[in-house]
Amino acid sequence: MIKELAKEVVSANADIDISNEAKKRSAVAYINRELIESSQYTYDTLPTQEIDDAIEEVLHDN
């Protein structure tokens, strides 16, 4: 699910002229919000490394 969310937000930001760092921050915020709102995680239990890895992988694939 995390990789799918990363793909979703990275593709939404693909045409925007912003740095990869800005795309990463946007993706982290979006994924965190989605996971917390779906009650799968709390702020304290978010899998931050998994989220970071998924975003990096998706950015490199694009």
Side-chain angles (χ1 to χ4, degrees):
M1 174 178 192
I2 292 172
K3 188 169 181 181
E4 289 78 24
L5 289 171
K7 286 180 184 179
E8 185 179 319
V9 72
V10 168
S11 69
N13 288 336
D15 296 333
I16 301 172
D17 187 25
I18 57 175
S19 68
N20 272 351
E21 189 60 36
K23 289 178 183 179
K24 288 177 194 177
R25 287 194 307 267
S26 174
V28 167
Y30 175 78
I31 293 168
N32 287 352
R33 187 186 75 223
E34 290 293 315
L35 293 176
I36 290 169
E37 286 181 356
S38 69
S39 299
Q40 293 184 32
Y41 296 93
T42 66
Y43 179 77
D44 293 327
T45 63
L46 284 169
T48 54
Q49 189 60 52
E50 185 178 347
I51 292 168
D52 289 345
D53 292 346
I55 293 167
E56 286 291 333
E57 184 177 335
V58 171
L59 281 173
H60 287 11
D61 287 348
N62 284 342

